[in-house]
Amino acid sequence: MRAGLTQYRLAERSGRERSVIARWEQGAVSPSFDNLLEVIEACGFDLPLVLVPRGDIGEERLETNSLLTPERRAQRLLARLARGGARG
């Protein structure tokens, strides 16, 4: 949605079948990490990965995030980044 692409256009740009993209969006299946990175790139974005030390609060966040789908975790990360930071 952020890239303004339809499933058809994203399928063309990423080399994936539209039905696969639809299943990812519906949460029926999760893309592999490599596929996720390729789709992000096809959308014209980059996902910088940064390792940061974690404390006790990080443990709680990890526990909470472990219950979410990969898609929902990515949405939460993108929302945090849009607000100005990956932490918080």
Side-chain angles (χ1 to χ4, degrees):
M1 290 175 64
R2 183 177 276 195
L5 299 174
T6 64
Q7 288 180 355
Y8 292 103
R9 185 69 179 123
L10 181 56
E12 289 175 348
R13 291 179 74 171
S14 68
R16 304 298 184 284
E17 295 290 329
R18 190 213 54 83
S19 61
V20 171
I21 292 169
R23 290 196 319 259
W24 290 342
E25 284 187 0
Q26 295 164 358
V29 295
S30 297
S32 69
F33 188 72
D34 289 338
N35 282 335
L36 179 62
L37 291 177
E38 289 174 13
V39 168
I40 289 170
E41 185 177 309
C43 289
F45 297 105
D46 188 25
L47 181 64
L49 301 175
V50 180
L51 296 176
V52 295
R54 64 174 200 220
D56 292 337
I57 295 173
E59 291 288 332
E60 183 178 319
R61 183 180 297 150
L62 284 174
E63 181 66 29
T64 300
N65 285 342
S66 71
L67 302 174
L68 301 174
T69 65
E71 293 83 5
R72 184 64 185 126
R73 289 193 300 266
Q75 289 171 348
R76 290 179 78 175
L77 173 61
L78 291 173
R80 280 197 309 272
L81 291 172
R83 290 191 307 266
R87 300 185 76 173

